[in-house]
Amino acid sequence: QRSLAITWQLAPGPRMRFGPVEMEGLRDVEPAAVRRRIPWNEGERYNVEQVHELEYDLLRWGVFSSVRIRLNPDPEQEDRTRVDLQLSERKHRTIRLGANYRSDVGPGGLVSWEHRNLFRRGDSIELKVEGSGIEYGTDLVFRKNHFLARRQVLEVESRAVHQDTDAYQSDTAESRAVIQRDLTPEL
């Protein structure tokens, strides 16, 4: 029979609008490349889902190791909030080395180099060389962010492979170009 009655009184204040976006922590990435990813325009009504969308997009981009978004109400304009982005860039180049053994092919290896901030706009290029006792090949992949639209990525890949088996020898080359587009954050 123990009970408690709680009364909440809320003062929501004015409806907020997005103010200017300030960025800290950029070293090698151009601010314009980050601004292209912002899903709102200054002066639009504040929407927390768009703030979460920006945070998710910046982290998924692969250029930043951490993203912190802080809102600071503008003392001069009570209905505006400044958006402060604190960004920490991750290393933009990666080198990978690998070794493997397959019972049907024998020993093999992999060397890969990637640059995730090509032209200071977060575009990437990756060069990969793989080899084993019967085949070796190279892959080159270029990714261009915001290709013709905000949520579109152009990916161009070229691959060349040489195979020398007991049954045949083969030299192949292939290329492909793909446009990826996020329709929603889930799809």
Side-chain angles (χ1 to χ4, degrees):
Q1 295 245 343
R2 294 181 183 168
S3 64
L4 179 65
I6 298 176
T7 303
W8 291 91
Q9 293 183 356
L10 302 175
R15 291 185 182 234
M16 299 301 285
R17 297 194 174 277
F18 286 110
V21 175
E22 302 291 330
M23 291 180 253
E24 292 179 28
L26 293 180
R27 292 185 328 264
D28 298 321
V29 178
E30 287 183 359
V34 177
R35 288 195 188 283
R36 278 194 295 272
R37 299 182 99 77
I38 297 172
W40 65 81
N41 294 315
E42 187 174 336
E44 287 182 4
R45 182 172 285 164
Y46 174 77
N47 182 335
V48 70
E49 290 176 5
Q50 288 180 316
V51 174
H52 293 310
E53 178 185 342
L54 175 63
E55 181 179 28
Y56 175 76
D57 185 36
L58 290 175
L59 287 170
R60 193 176 67 150
W61 191 11
V63 177
F64 301 108
S65 60
S66 70
V67 174
R68 185 172 179 203
I69 301 176
R70 189 181 311 176
L71 303 175
N72 288 315
D74 188 342
E76 296 177 12
Q77 294 179 311
E78 290 183 9
D79 69 334
R80 299 273 173 141
T81 184
R82 189 179 77 218
V83 181
D84 291 338
L85 297 179
Q86 293 177 333
L87 307 166
S88 178
E89 293 182 22
R90 65 187 280 205
K91 292 184 179 180
H92 299 299
R93 292 171 190 82
T94 301
I95 296 174
R96 286 183 281 198
L97 302 172
N100 59 44
Y101 181 83
R102 289 179 31 193
S103 60
D104 61 338
V105 176
L110 161 79
V111 176
S112 170
W113 173 84
E114 181 182 21
H115 191 311
R116 284 180 295 280
N117 190 29
L118 202 61
F119 312 122
R120 297 179 46 120
R121 291 187 298 267
D123 301 324
S124 67
I125 191 166
E126 181 179 12
L127 175 63
K128 181 169 50 173
V129 178
E130 291 183 89
S132 68
I134 64 170
E135 75 176 21
Y136 57 88
T138 62
D139 284 297
L140 181 65
V141 180
F142 172 74
R143 290 177 56 92
K144 170 76 177 144
N145 292 293
H146 295 289
F147 180 72
L148 302 178
R150 190 170 91 65
R151 289 184 170 166
Q152 262 178 199
V153 176
L154 170 67
E155 184 174 281
V156 179
E157 180 179 6
S158 293
R159 176 175 207 181
V161 177
H162 172 78
Q163 293 179 317
D164 189 359
T165 68
D166 293 337
Y168 64 90
Q169 284 188 345
S170 167
D171 290 308
T172 60
E174 61 184 71
S175 294
R176 70 180 181 97
V178 175
I179 295 177
Q180 300 173 0
R181 180 171 178 84
D182 291 342
L183 301 176
T184 68
E186 295 82 23
L187 181 62

